[in-house]
Amino acid sequence: VGNGDMTTPLYMTITAGMLDRYIAAGDEVSALDPDTGTDRRKWYFVSGSDFVNFAGLRGFLAGAFGGTLRFTIKATYGDWSSTLNSPLDFISLECGKCDYGRGIRLVRFADVSLPWDGTEQVIEVTIGLGHLWRRVVTGSSWPLASQCDIAAVLSALTSVSILGDFTASGEGVGVDNVEMEVA
């Protein structure tokens, strides 16, 4: 978990609804932008190398193109009726060595087709063309990711990030059962 200053997530050895032996984190300090009222330093659950290197694949997950990324998420505290951060870059897939070492980051934003209001929910997104993945490009308006962008990232995946910092105030979030399913 990180947002500039590293925060150590807690490994919860309890069951809370669908969360069973899960990771949890939260924040109490926000760096609010005076113009927008949103947090300038959002925090994320970031996968370790074990997730992207399972079964000796070393990040080569090309078979996940058209497959599914799935996880369970639940707020443990926080006020989702207050100001939400913007943008809500809910899920990120990153390849650190793609694009001649400059890296490629793909983002799936929370929106009407991928909402989350803090309630316990299984999130399921298709990793493929036509599923609203966007490529982070400096100085641009987040263009839709191309088939090549998605294939490149999945061929050398270095991290998966899940946004934990949805609100401009403090919140706690638990995440469990993060998995990628091949098509």
Side-chain angles (χ1 to χ4, degrees), residues 71-149:
F71 57 91
T72 305
I73 190 167
K74 175 183 181 177
T76 55
Y77 65 90
D79 182 5
W80 264 252
S81 64
S82 68
T83 302
L84 296 180
N85 285 320
S86 180
L88 291 173
D89 46 339
F90 198 178
I91 304 163
S92 298
L93 304 176
E94 194 158 351
C95 169
K97 50 189 169 177
C98 290
D99 196 17
Y100 303 102
R102 291 185 294 245
I104 296 176
R105 180 173 169 235
L106 304 179
V107 174
R108 181 60 177 87
F109 290 97
D111 56 28
V112 294
S113 64
L114 183 62
W116 186 54
D117 61 3
T119 57
E120 184 173 54
Q121 190 172 339
V122 174
I123 301 294
E124 191 169 300
V125 294
T126 301
I127 306 168
L129 199 59
H131 294 277
L132 302 177
W133 287 94
R134 303 223 173 238
R135 181 175 176 167
V136 176
V137 179
T138 305
S140 85
S141 59
W142 304 80
L144 286 171
S146 69
Q147 184 169 338
C148 284
D149 294 334

Side-chain angles (χ1 to χ4, degrees), residues 2-183:
N3 65 348
D5 297 327
M6 292 306 291
T7 303
T8 303
L10 300 173
Y11 174 64
M12 306 300 289
T13 59
I14 61 173
T15 299
M18 291 186 285
L19 301 178
D20 182 23
R21 293 182 299 268
Y22 59 98
I23 58 171
D27 74 333
E28 299 303 325
V29 179
S30 296
L32 296 182
D33 183 307
D35 296 326
T36 65
T38 61
D39 197 341
R40 288 187 285 195
R41 292 181 37 200
K42 296 181 287 190
W43 60 271
Y44 302 82
F45 292 95
V46 181
S47 68
S49 60
D50 289 347
F51 181 78
V52 295
N53 291 328
F54 70 95
L57 296 175
R58 291 187 298 265
F60 185 76
L61 298 169
F65 190 96
T68 304
L69 175 66
R70 182 180 306 112
F71 57 91
T72 305
I73 190 167
K74 175 183 181 177
T76 55
Y77 65 90
D79 182 5
W80 264 252
S81 64
S82 68
T83 302
L84 296 180
N85 285 320
S86 180
L88 291 173
D89 46 339
F90 198 178
I91 304 163
S92 298
L93 304 176
E94 194 158 351
C95 169
K97 50 189 169 177
C98 290
D99 196 17
Y100 303 102
R102 291 185 294 245
I104 296 176
R105 180 173 169 235
L106 304 179
V107 174
R108 181 60 177 87
F109 290 97
D111 56 28
V112 294
S113 64
L114 183 62
W116 186 54
D117 61 3
T119 57
E120 184 173 54
Q121 190 172 339
V122 174
I123 301 294
E124 191 169 300
V125 294
T126 301
I127 306 168
L129 199 59
H131 294 277
L132 302 177
W133 287 94
R134 303 223 173 238
R135 181 175 176 167
V136 176
V137 179
T138 305
S140 85
S141 59
W142 304 80
L144 286 171
S146 69
Q147 184 169 338
C148 284
D149 294 334
I150 297 167
V153 168
L154 290 174
S155 293
L157 188 67
T158 52
S159 72
V160 176
S161 301
I162 299 170
L163 180 65
D165 198 352
F166 269 70
T167 73
S169 57
E171 73 268 276
V173 176
V175 172
D176 198 5
N177 305 315
V178 180
E179 59 188 25
M180 277 190 172
E181 183 177 285
V182 297

